Amino acid sequence: MDIRYFEEYGITAGITQVPDRSDVRRAEMAEELKARGGYLIRPCLTHGVNVYPITRQFLEGKPSYIEIEDCDGMVTDLPDVALTSTHGDCIPLYAYDPVKKVIGLAHAGWRGTVNGIAAVLALTMIKTYGCDPSDIRTVVGPGIGCCCFEVSEDVAREFIEKMPWCEDYIDEGAKEGKYMIDLKGINAELFKMFGITNTEISPVCTYEDENCWSYRRNGTDKRMLAYIKL
Ligand SMILES: [Zn+2]
């Protein structure tokens, strides 16, 4: 059973859970969309901060299943386009503007978080699509929680150097020289900086929850599929 978001707005958004596999679910979703003349976007994730607007012009001449190189986020206002990404501890960021009818999805691991992919997602919606931040709803989805995301000092230092304010989201770990980072809190804070205050933070920690695939827990190559479509 998927965890669903934005259901009250009548759009399709969510994330799959165990035993579903992202590759199987994505193939099913792509088939269904193809039959209806729609498109499915698969970003080739690199833990970067590239967020692409999916426009009619971009789709021209492309097949219904589209892979985008070096991409960790997408935004669109097209009703026939499904945005997808895969997750196994990294956090899915969902965004929806019910006024402008614009959706966004991004993949935020620690690298994407520290380099501000939430900010790039917000700015793409605001600058490229003219969304008013006060209209935008966001979800910081299931991912590894502060309870389990232990990092070494160099990672913690990178966060403090790039975003000094995120000190509030970093705790000393139980082990010497280790730190616990609240990636979900930092992403929600980034949204807030751009005026997006209507954010739901998922309580699900993928490392602890057996309904989630977790790379850190057992090194699995299986992933959960995050998706959003108008
Ligand atoms: Zn946890």
Side-chain angles (χ1 to χ4, degrees):
M1 188 77 105
D2 297 3
I3 303 173
R4 299 294 296 269
Y5 299 111
F6 304 131
E7 273 187 310
E8 65 273 35
Y9 297 105
I11 69 166
T12 308
I15 188 160
T16 63
Q17 296 194 91
V18 171
D20 276 354
R21 285 170 30 190
S22 60
D23 51 344
V24 175
R25 282 295 297 278
R26 182 142 53 191
E28 284 171 8
M29 219 177 266
E31 271 309 303
E32 203 185 303
L33 275 158
K34 191 178 177 183
R36 291 190 280 136
Y39 299 86
L40 182 137
I41 311 293
R42 177 197 180 163
C44 298
L45 308 172
T46 59
H47 296 270
V49 294
N50 289 336
V51 175
Y52 290 99
I54 310 300
T55 60
R56 199 53 79 195
Q57 197 182 3
F58 171 84
L59 294 174
E60 224 174 72
K62 293 211 170 51
S64 70
Y65 183 86
I66 302 168
E67 293 190 354
I68 304 180
E69 291 300 322
D70 194 10
C71 170
D72 283 80
M74 307 134 286
V75 174
T76 194
D77 59 357
L78 302 175
D80 53 347
V81 174
L83 309 177
T84 68
S85 59
T86 50
H87 301 263
D89 289 331
C90 292
I91 297 155
L93 304 175
Y94 302 82
Y96 175 51
D97 175 350
V99 176
K100 284 266 175 10
K101 304 268 189 284
V102 175
I103 52 173
L105 180 66
H107 164 259
W110 76 262
R111 286 177 201 281
T113 301
V114 76
N115 290 311
I117 193 160
V120 183
L121 181 68
L123 277 175
T124 306
M125 292 183 75
I126 295 162
K127 296 285 181 193
T128 310
Y129 286 89
C131 297
D132 182 332
S134 66
D135 293 331
I136 301 174
R137 272 77 177 131
T138 49
V139 173
V140 176
I144 194 161
C146 192
C147 40
C148 299
F149 190 53
E150 185 189 77
V151 300
S152 57
E153 198 178 334
D154 53 322
V155 174
R157 198 179 305 124
E158 187 171 339
F159 272 87
I160 298 294
E161 278 169 9
K162 289 183 175 165
M163 305 188 278
W165 52 265
C166 77
E167 216 168 35
D168 295 350
Y169 297 93
I170 302 175
D171 287 329
E172 271 183 39
K175 291 183 213 136
E176 177 87 33
K178 297 288 186 187
Y179 294 84
M180 311 306 289
I181 300 190
D182 181 4
L183 295 177
K184 291 180 190 174
I186 293 169
N187 281 293
E189 191 69 48
L190 282 165
F191 282 141
K192 210 158 121 192
M193 285 176 183
F194 289 89
I196 303 169
T197 53
N198 198 326
T199 298
E200 174 188 337
I201 301 179
S202 168
V204 176
C205 170
T206 49
Y207 188 89
E208 289 175 284
D209 193 324
E210 296 285 328
N211 296 312
C212 302
W213 297 118
S214 168
Y215 175 72
R216 270 217 177 193
R217 192 195 326 133
N218 50 22
T220 183
D221 61 354
K222 297 186 180 71
R223 295 287 179 267
M224 301 186 290
L225 184 72
Y227 53 85
I228 185 165
K229 184 184 172 295
L230 287 168

